Amino acid sequence: MFKAIVSASTLRDALDSVSVLVDECKIRLNEDELAIRAVDPANVGMVDLTLEAAAFESYEADGGVIGVNLNRLEDIAGMANSGDLVQLELDEETRKLHIQIDGLSYTLALIDPDSIRQEPDIPDLDLPAEIVVEGAQIGRGITAADMVSDHIRLRVDEAEEAFFIEAEGDTDDVDLRLDREDLIDLQAGPAESLFSLDYLKDMNKAIPKDAEVRVELGEEFPVKLHYEFGEGMGQVTYMLAPRIQSD
Amino acid sequence: MFKAIVSASTLRDALDSVSVLVDECKIRLNEDELAIRAVDPANVGMVDLTLEAAAFESYEADGGVIGVNLNRLEDIAGMANSGDLVQLELDEETRKLHIQIDGLSYTLALIDPDSIRQEPDIPDLDLPAEIVVEGAQIGRGITAADMVSDHIRLRVDEAEEAFFIEAEGDTDDVDLRLDREDLIDLQAGPAESLFSLDYLKDMNKAIPKDAEVRVELGEEFPVKLHYEFGEGMGQVTYMLAPRIQSD
Amino acid sequence: MFKAIVSASTLRDALDSVSVLVDECKIRLNEDELAIRAVDPANVGMVDLTLEAAAFESYEADGGVIGVNLNRLEDIAGMANSGDLVQLELDEETRKLHIQIDGLSYTLALIDPDSIRQEPDIPDLDLPAEIVVEGAQIGRGITAADMVSDHIRLRVDEAEEAFFIEAEGDTDDVDLRLDREDLIDLQAGPAESLFSLDYLKDMNKAIPKDAEVRVELGEEFPVKLHYEFGEGMGQVTYMLAPRIQSD
């Protein structure tokens, strides 16, 4: 059983954060929250999303799992105006999801969850550095890095108390230096890792410019990016595997 | 003889409503109105447009017929700002149309009207149902239908007193239900017909979002869509042939 | 030695005016101004740009010459907001240009100036007619001409005291007539020349719509277009060779 009403903008934020990594996903309709975990086909980027029951206008669920085509669901949510409410109701017999937006009804065929890639376990990593920064700053660093390279280095300089977003191209280099006063918070620690820029660009598309993004970073370790949406009642964690640094 | 001055926005609205169906058309320069009738090459969609002399700043004509390339004429009208006036004057000898917009003169070679597809007769159909609805609602139904199918069903439910825009895809279905209170007016009657979505999408491009659209509908009959522009002094009627419904 | 700070918008205006003609150019870092001269590969269009030291927040230079990839430099300047300041500093040893924008550092590899096409000499022509006109009017004439032809004629009618922008197509003609009262200034003289529209379209992209453009014109002679940017402390002159007029 699943029956819920949610604002179109909250639904869209939730879907966008997952669709940047995968086309299809399982959605867990838990009693107290909707939850999605997914990993991209290359096993490089993962996403863990929860949207609490309180983020919905109304929410009833009993622990089922459905499989959805994310682009299709995004298109439907895209039909709504930001203020519109979206009604979702699962028909257990036909395995279809009924979606209603102000007189418009959409009957969405679901995907067999068993046909969808297994959900990843996102490990606790206890990383030595933590940076809290505006989404817009991360976007700035990514755009600049994209001018010169396919890779991006995230680095904390403990002595300088600064966070660096860096890229080295064949002829040109770029770095964005964010000092303690440019950041919302910084717990400095030994941290420097290289990542594929394509994945960070995709994740950045979903991160709101004004979000507080908590970045957990280590030395040649995966990075974790956390942010909230839906007035704090939705949480997204991205985890991205590092590239081996060639020196 | 033809000599007229009209606002750029009225001229553009007139041209757009025809150019969604055909590339070239005949324009009848009647004494009291400018009139266009055209049918698309597949004989599926027709348009009947009149723009009264009163819609012009000034209008003099004596019943001639000219043939025009609509895209070219739209490009020229597109050079004007919305508030600009467009002067049109036919040179009978050279068979060219002189167009003037604030210092800019364009001399447009006309097309031999005899080389243009014959104008259709748009029949009186006396259809059993009539729905008056905002252009924006029709657009909403078309956009939704386009997510699942190439066809769209328009239907009136007499018992429910509601107008439905519906589409059935291979796996997903969509319908927009507009009750009497969502409509400007409804004369219910037995009416349900299936149409090619492409034609309705094209017609919808020309229909202003805030226009009152009068929809005349029957059972497996053509649909007629009427709306006004140019402060009520321009009238457009589209007629679209139905698709055979496979049950 | 070169070290300067300039507003992002002034830098962008300067780069755009040159990049419409060439991909790479030499920049002369003179003591009292930054200067660029360039000619397109076909030797048809030339640009001469100067940006006075006073246009910069700070400016120190001693007469060096650097070679740059303009698109790359435009991309970097494009990272800044309009109000942002851009810091430029030449590293003489590595032959790299360090660019800083609010915490973002970009190290740009320069191009050997000797590998760049030689700078043109832009001749004094003492042309008989001079028209001063808003950039927007030139843009209007170019857009209209582009509907019918690949060439554009600029002409002054001494008797009518008017400036004409004209184009003749295979079937259609277009002309924009600007009388003395439509112009900022007019020194009439015998002047009529035909030009390649592509070049004027490119130059027009860089000319601000609200700029006062001084057009110097002769009979089958090159045209010169001058305008200012950066609050009058930047000057651009374009020179465009005429096409032979076939009568």
Side-chain angles (χ1 to χ4, degrees):
Chain A
M1 190 267 298
F2 172 62
K3 200 170 166 178
I5 300 175
V6 64
S7 83
S9 58
T10 297
L11 180 61
R12 279 198 289 252
D13 286 348
L15 298 173
D16 289 351
S17 69
V18 182
S19 70
V20 294
L21 281 186
V22 293
D23 295 331
E24 303 177 343
C25 73
K26 295 182 204 180
I27 303 182
R28 300 201 165 264
L29 307 165
N30 299 327
E31 277 182 44
D32 54 349
E33 65 177 24
L34 180 155
I36 301 174
R37 273 180 299 136
V39 58
D40 86 287
N43 270 314
V44 173
M46 294 179 190
V47 60
D48 181 347
L49 170 140
T50 56
L51 188 57
E52 300 167 20
F56 293 76
E57 298 296 309
S58 77
Y59 183 90
E60 291 175 74
D62 59 3
V65 179
I66 58 175
V68 299
N69 177 320
L70 281 163
N71 294 134
R72 179 47 60 109
L73 204 45
E74 281 183 304
D75 285 347
I76 302 164
M79 292 281 306
N81 297 314
S82 286
D84 283 352
L85 291 178
V86 180
Q87 263 185 278
L88 305 164
E89 184 166 2
L90 177 63
D91 184 326
E92 306 264 9
E93 277 178 41
T94 60
R95 297 305 295 170
K96 299 211 171 184
L97 188 65
H98 293 289
I99 303 159
Q100 288 210 298
I101 305 167
D102 189 20
L104 183 74
S105 304
Y106 193 105
T107 305
L108 176 72
L110 296 173
I111 299 170
D112 179 359
D114 293 339
S115 74
I116 295 177
R117 206 178 160 71
Q118 211 185 320
E119 291 156 292
D121 283 317
I122 297 189
D124 263 335
L125 293 174
D126 196 20
L127 294 164
E130 188 175 302
I131 307 102
V132 185
V133 58
E134 257 198 1
Q137 294 283 30
I138 294 180
R140 228 175 134 225
I142 287 172
T143 304
D146 198 28
M147 285 197 271
V148 302
S149 179
D150 297 329
H151 301 121
I152 189 168
R153 176 175 289 115
L154 304 182
R155 182 168 69 84
V156 170
D157 188 311
E158 292 178 88
E160 306 243 355
E161 296 211 318
F163 174 52
F164 289 85
I165 301 177
E166 302 171 328
E168 283 170 40
D170 290 336
T171 59
D172 296 355
D173 302 331
V174 69
D175 71 89
L176 176 63
R177 176 194 175 118
L178 296 167
D179 287 304
R180 184 176 281 284
E181 63 267 26
D182 302 318
L183 300 168
I184 297 162
D185 195 22
L186 173 67
Q187 287 173 241
E192 175 172 347
S193 300
L194 190 73
F195 301 97
S196 159
L197 190 51
D198 277 345
Y199 282 90
L200 270 180
K201 276 163 68 177
D202 286 341
M203 292 170 178
N204 182 52
K205 280 178 203 154
I207 298 176
K209 293 288 156 271
D210 61 352
E212 291 195 3
V213 183
R214 200 170 82 243
V215 181
E216 295 177 42
L217 197 66
E219 292 193 290
E220 305 219 7
F221 250 79
V223 64
K224 283 190 174 184
L225 304 169
H226 312 264
Y227 69 91
E228 296 184 345
F229 68 99
E231 295 171 9
M233 291 173 290
Q235 290 87 32
V236 173
T237 300
Y238 287 120
M239 190 173 91
L240 178 60
R243 303 278 310 209
I244 302 308
Q245 308 201 26
S246 52
D247 294 314
Chain B
M1 189 267 298
F2 172 62
K3 199 169 167 180
I5 300 176
V6 64
S7 83
S9 59
T10 297
L11 180 61
R12 280 198 290 252
D13 286 347
L15 299 173
D16 289 351
S17 68
V18 182
S19 70
V20 294
L21 281 185
V22 293
D23 295 331
E24 303 177 342
C25 73
K26 295 183 205 180
I27 303 183
R28 299 201 166 265
L29 307 165
N30 299 327
E31 277 181 45
D32 54 349
E33 65 178 23
L34 180 155
I36 301 174
R37 273 179 300 135
V39 57
D40 86 287
N43 269 315
V44 173
M46 295 178 190
V47 60
D48 182 347
L49 170 140
T50 56
L51 188 57
E52 300 166 21
F56 293 76
E57 298 295 310
S58 77
Y59 183 90
E60 292 175 74
D62 59 3
V65 179
I66 57 174
V68 299
N69 177 320
L70 281 163
N71 294 134
R72 179 47 61 108
L73 204 45
E74 282 183 304
D75 285 347
I76 302 164
M79 292 282 307
N81 297 315
S82 286
D84 283 351
L85 291 178
V86 181
Q87 264 186 278
L88 304 164
E89 183 166 2
L90 177 63
D91 184 326
E92 306 264 9
E93 276 178 42
T94 60
R95 296 305 294 169
K96 299 210 172 185
L97 188 65
H98 293 288
I99 303 160
Q100 287 209 299
I101 306 167
D102 190 20
L104 183 74
S105 304
Y106 193 105
T107 305
L108 176 72
L110 296 172
I111 299 170
D112 178 359
D114 293 339
S115 74
I116 295 177
R117 206 177 160 71
Q118 211 185 321
E119 291 156 293
D121 283 317
I122 298 189
D124 263 334
L125 293 174
D126 196 20
L127 295 164
E130 188 176 302
I131 306 103
V132 185
V133 59
E134 256 199 1
Q137 294 283 29
I138 294 180
R140 227 175 134 226
I142 287 172
T143 304
D146 197 28
M147 286 197 270
V148 303
S149 180
D150 296 330
H151 301 122
I152 189 167
R153 175 175 289 115
L154 304 182
R155 182 168 69 84
V156 170
D157 188 312
E158 292 178 88
E160 305 243 355
E161 297 211 317
F163 174 52
F164 289 86
I165 301 177
E166 302 171 328
E168 283 170 41
D170 290 336
T171 59
D172 297 355
D173 301 331
V174 69
D175 71 89
L176 175 63
R177 176 193 176 118
L178 296 167
D179 287 304
R180 184 176 281 285
E181 63 266 27
D182 302 318
L183 300 168
I184 297 162
D185 194 23
L186 173 67
Q187 287 174 240
E192 175 173 348
S193 300
L194 190 72
F195 302 96
S196 159
L197 190 51
D198 278 345
Y199 282 90
L200 270 180
K201 277 163 66 178
D202 285 341
M203 291 169 178
N204 182 53
K205 280 178 204 155
I207 299 176
K209 293 288 156 272
D210 60 352
E212 291 195 4
V213 183
R214 199 171 82 244
V215 182
E216 295 178 43
L217 197 66
E219 291 193 292
E220 305 218 8
F221 250 80
V223 64
K224 282 190 174 185
L225 303 169
H226 311 264
Y227 69 91
E228 296 184 344
F229 68 99
E231 295 171 9
M233 290 174 289
Q235 289 88 31
V236 174
T237 299
Y238 287 120
M239 190 173 91
L240 178 59
R243 303 277 311 209
I244 302 308
Q245 307 202 27
S246 52
D247 294 315
Chain C
M1 191 267 297
F2 172 62
K3 200 169 167 179
I5 300 176
V6 63
S7 83
S9 58
T10 297
L11 180 60
R12 280 199 289 252
D13 286 348
L15 298 173
D16 289 351
S17 68
V18 182
S19 70
V20 295
L21 281 186
V22 292
D23 295 331
E24 303 177 342
C25 73
K26 295 183 205 180
I27 302 183
R28 300 202 165 265
L29 307 165
N30 299 327
E31 276 181 45
D32 54 349
E33 66 178 23
L34 180 155
I36 301 174
R37 273 180 299 135
V39 58
D40 87 287
N43 269 315
V44 173
M46 295 179 190
V47 59
D48 181 346
L49 170 140
T50 56
L51 188 57
E52 299 166 21
F56 293 76
E57 298 296 309
S58 76
Y59 183 89
E60 292 174 73
D62 59 3
V65 179
I66 57 175
V68 300
N69 176 320
L70 281 163
N71 294 134
R72 179 48 61 109
L73 204 46
E74 282 183 305
D75 285 346
I76 302 165
M79 292 281 307
N81 297 314
S82 286
D84 283 351
L85 292 178
V86 181
Q87 264 186 277
L88 304 164
E89 184 166 2
L90 177 64
D91 184 326
E92 307 263 9
E93 277 179 41
T94 60
R95 297 305 295 171
K96 299 210 170 185
L97 188 66
H98 293 289
I99 303 159
Q100 288 209 298
I101 306 167
D102 190 20
L104 183 75
S105 304
Y106 193 105
T107 305
L108 176 72
L110 296 172
I111 298 170
D112 178 358
D114 293 339
S115 74
I116 296 177
R117 206 177 159 71
Q118 211 185 320
E119 291 156 293
D121 283 317
I122 297 189
D124 263 335
L125 294 173
D126 196 20
L127 295 164
E130 187 175 302
I131 307 103
V132 184
V133 59
E134 257 198 0
Q137 294 283 30
I138 294 180
R140 228 174 134 225
I142 288 172
T143 304
D146 197 28
M147 286 197 270
V148 303
S149 179
D150 297 329
H151 301 121
I152 189 167
R153 175 174 290 114
L154 304 182
R155 182 168 70 85
V156 170
D157 188 312
E158 291 178 88
E160 305 243 357
E161 296 211 318
F163 175 52
F164 289 86
I165 301 177
E166 303 171 328
E168 283 170 40
D170 290 336
T171 60
D172 296 355
D173 302 331
V174 68
D175 71 89
L176 176 63
R177 176 194 176 117
L178 296 167
D179 286 305
R180 184 175 281 284
E181 63 266 27
D182 303 318
L183 300 168
I184 297 162
D185 195 23
L186 173 67
Q187 288 174 239
E192 174 172 348
S193 300
L194 190 72
F195 302 97
S196 158
L197 190 51
D198 278 344
Y199 282 89
L200 269 180
K201 277 164 67 179
D202 285 340
M203 291 170 178
N204 182 52
K205 280 178 204 154
I207 299 176
K209 294 287 156 272
D210 60 352
E212 291 194 3
V213 183
R214 200 171 81 244
V215 182
E216 295 177 42
L217 196 66
E219 292 194 290
E220 305 218 9
F221 250 79
V223 64
K224 282 190 175 185
L225 304 169
H226 312 263
Y227 68 92
E228 296 184 345
F229 67 99
E231 295 171 10
M233 291 173 289
Q235 290 88 30
V236 173
T237 299
Y238 287 120
M239 190 173 91
L240 178 60
R243 303 277 311 209
I244 301 309
Q245 307 201 29
S246 52
D247 294 313

